[in-house]
Amino acid sequence: MLNIKIEKTTCPKPKPVDESQLGFGKISTDHMFVMDYTEGQGWHDPRIIPYQNFSLDPATVVFHYAQEIFEGMKAYRTAEGKIQLFRPDCNAKRMNDSADRLCIPNIPEEDFIQAVKALVEIDADWVPYTDGCSLYIRPFIFATDVGLGVHASKHYIFSVIAMPSGAYYAEGINPVRIYVEDEYIRAAPGLTGFTKCGGNYAASIKAGEMAEEQGYAQVLWLDGVEKKYVEEVGSMNIMFKIDGKVYTAACTGTVLPGVTRRSCIELMKDWGYEVIEGKLAIADVMKAAQEGKLEEVWGTGTAAVVSPVKELKWKDQVAHIGDGKIGPLTQKLYDTMTGIQWGKLPDDKGWIVPVC
Ligand SMILES: *Cc1c(COP(=O)(O)O)cnc(C)c1O
């Protein structure tokens, strides 16, 4: 149990008036959580302070060698005005899995959850009231040793910030076009694909920009060895419904194990679908599309929950999915996931953790 010291802001910021205009990750709440790590001493000085800049030496190692990890989760306001989290234990555990790979010290899961809850509680007024809007929460840890030698840092900062965010889709949930990347790769066995580390994103920006220039919303990454099998989308896992069965890449080290992915798989299995976690060749996806068997494709992730895909472009081939509209299973997953998250549906699985 952390003994969190609280320093409240003396000048709270005005809350956004029109929550429909919030966008994603643009404005912060009034406070932030911070805790320091020193080798030999462990994590210490947990505190909530007014939202403010960090002051760091230019030779701080994170700026140069990217020893940094993060998480992404949300707090939801129910119709009764209660505030709740969705499976925060999964984020706490995943942050430690990322930490292990990047030689960053672990944070006990209960301390992680306590820090998140404490920040959400103090900034509870910032959790949006508008349907579909939520408070996006960003826990992160970065290395703060000073000096240019490459080594595991002996000092770290763990921080949590929060940002009220609008409905991901301003005009409802719209199917997107996706570019299958066949030159660059995001991950390979033995690398950091399964971690949420900034470096993964830095290395993927170029492909994302190129896809965007050509009118695609996101990049679909293939496996890094053969560039043959589908893995995931920019910041989402991806699922394919082919001839009644659902396929998604297995979490064997190159794919980020999404909380939304896992939850959708559990729901679909409950509903009697066969879900296959394994290798799916992009050529077979394109073939299924030609044969009229590619029924639905969707991405899964905390930000968008479920994001339907209407088109895939791979080399000189284009696959059109369904009739360009959201498919029935995609819609059912979206309705069920958001229903549980916003407290409109019963939480039969014990996924919800109340905050206040
Ligand atoms: C965060 C993330 C996801 C989705 O994970 P969720 O826990 O469902 O939000 C998928 N892929 C990548 C690369 C990610 O960073």
Side-chain angles (χ1 to χ4, degrees):
M1 185 82 175
L2 299 173
N3 185 10
I4 304 174
K5 212 179 111 203
I6 292 174
E7 181 198 334
K8 278 202 175 186
T9 181
T10 51
C11 43
K13 292 183 282 190
K15 309 271 180 321
V17 187
D18 183 359
E19 290 183 342
S20 69
Q21 299 299 312
L22 276 171
F24 177 75
K26 290 189 189 136
I27 52 167
S28 61
T29 61
D30 281 321
H31 299 89
M32 65 197 290
F33 175 90
V34 184
M35 178 161 76
D36 302 305
Y37 179 90
T38 309
E39 197 179 71
Q41 191 182 354
W43 290 105
H44 59 91
D45 290 306
R47 56 202 185 273
I48 284 174
I49 54 176
Y51 191 91
Q52 59 192 262
N53 292 351
F54 290 112
S55 174
L56 296 167
D57 188 291
T60 302
V61 292
V62 66
F63 294 142
H64 305 273
Y65 308 126
Q67 202 191 357
E68 183 270 352
I69 54 174
F70 64 95
E71 268 303 321
M73 53 204 292
K74 284 174 171 176
Y76 309 84
R77 188 183 294 278
T78 70
E80 296 79 48
K82 294 205 186 94
I83 296 170
Q84 55 191 33
L85 303 172
F86 182 77
R87 311 189 79 175
D89 51 308
C90 295
N91 298 95
K93 178 171 184 311
R94 187 170 67 191
M95 186 147 209
N96 283 337
D97 291 341
S98 298
D100 288 341
R101 179 63 181 80
L102 277 96
C103 289
I104 291 172
N106 280 20
I107 293 180
E109 285 177 32
E110 58 277 16
D111 292 355
F112 173 99
I113 295 170
Q114 191 194 341
V116 168
K117 277 185 174 173
L119 180 67
V120 172
E121 206 170 347
I122 202 163
D123 281 336
D125 286 350
W126 286 89
V127 181
Y129 290 79
T130 309
D131 205 32
C133 299
S134 57
L135 184 71
Y136 185 79
I137 304 163
R138 169 53 57 86
F140 57 111
I141 309 178
F142 57 96
T144 55
D145 269 12
V146 174
L148 297 184
V150 179
H151 63 278
S153 186
K154 294 177 167 54
H155 301 85
Y156 297 86
I157 289 176
F158 170 51
S159 181
V160 187
I161 57 172
M163 304 189 150
S165 293
Y168 203 76
Y169 306 99
E171 313 87 39
I173 157 169
N174 276 327
V176 295
R177 301 168 70 215
I178 294 221
Y179 184 87
V180 183
E181 177 57 51
D182 68 344
E183 183 187 354
Y184 299 112
I185 59 168
R186 189 195 86 95
L191 257 171
T192 52
F194 67 94
T195 72
K196 254 181 146 55
C197 71
N200 285 345
Y201 277 82
S204 72
I205 289 172
K206 183 153 187 166
E209 292 290 301
M210 285 166 65
E212 211 172 288
E213 270 167 32
Q214 297 179 62
Y216 296 89
Q218 297 242 20
V219 165
L220 168 59
W221 298 102
L222 301 177
D223 74 279
V225 178
E226 296 178 81
K227 290 188 206 153
K228 202 168 154 188
Y229 302 102
V230 295
E231 293 214 317
E232 64 180 314
V233 175
S235 56
M236 289 188 285
N237 297 106
I238 188 159
M239 301 184 173
F240 301 82
K241 182 161 172 273
I242 301 174
D243 210 11
K245 293 179 189 163
V246 177
Y247 297 82
T248 192
C251 292
T252 50
T254 51
V255 165
L256 197 288
V259 179
T260 320
R261 171 191 182 279
R262 175 173 164 181
S263 306
C264 286
I265 291 173
E266 286 178 49
L267 288 172
M268 287 188 290
K269 286 189 173 165
D270 287 355
W271 298 336
Y273 284 97
E274 188 176 338
V275 183
I276 298 136
E277 296 177 61
K279 286 186 172 176
L280 174 65
I282 184 68
D284 291 341
V285 173
M286 302 314 271
K287 188 158 158 271
Q290 276 166 13
E291 293 169 350
K293 290 180 181 163
L294 183 58
E295 293 155 4
E296 298 182 39
V297 180
W298 66 92
T300 65
T302 297
V305 192
V306 168
S307 182
V309 178
K310 67 175 175 189
E311 184 186 319
L312 290 170
K313 166 144 172 80
W314 178 52
K315 299 187 181 194
D316 55 358
Q317 298 184 41
V318 178
H320 295 280
I321 298 131
D323 51 5
K325 302 209 181 71
I326 181 168
L329 180 55
T330 312
Q331 183 76 55
K332 188 175 177 185
L333 282 169
Y334 181 81
D335 292 343
T336 308
M337 286 289 291
T338 55
I340 296 171
Q341 288 166 336
W342 271 273
K344 292 176 198 158
L345 290 177
D347 170 33
D348 297 333
K349 297 190 167 284
W351 284 345
I352 293 300
V353 172
V355 175
C356 54

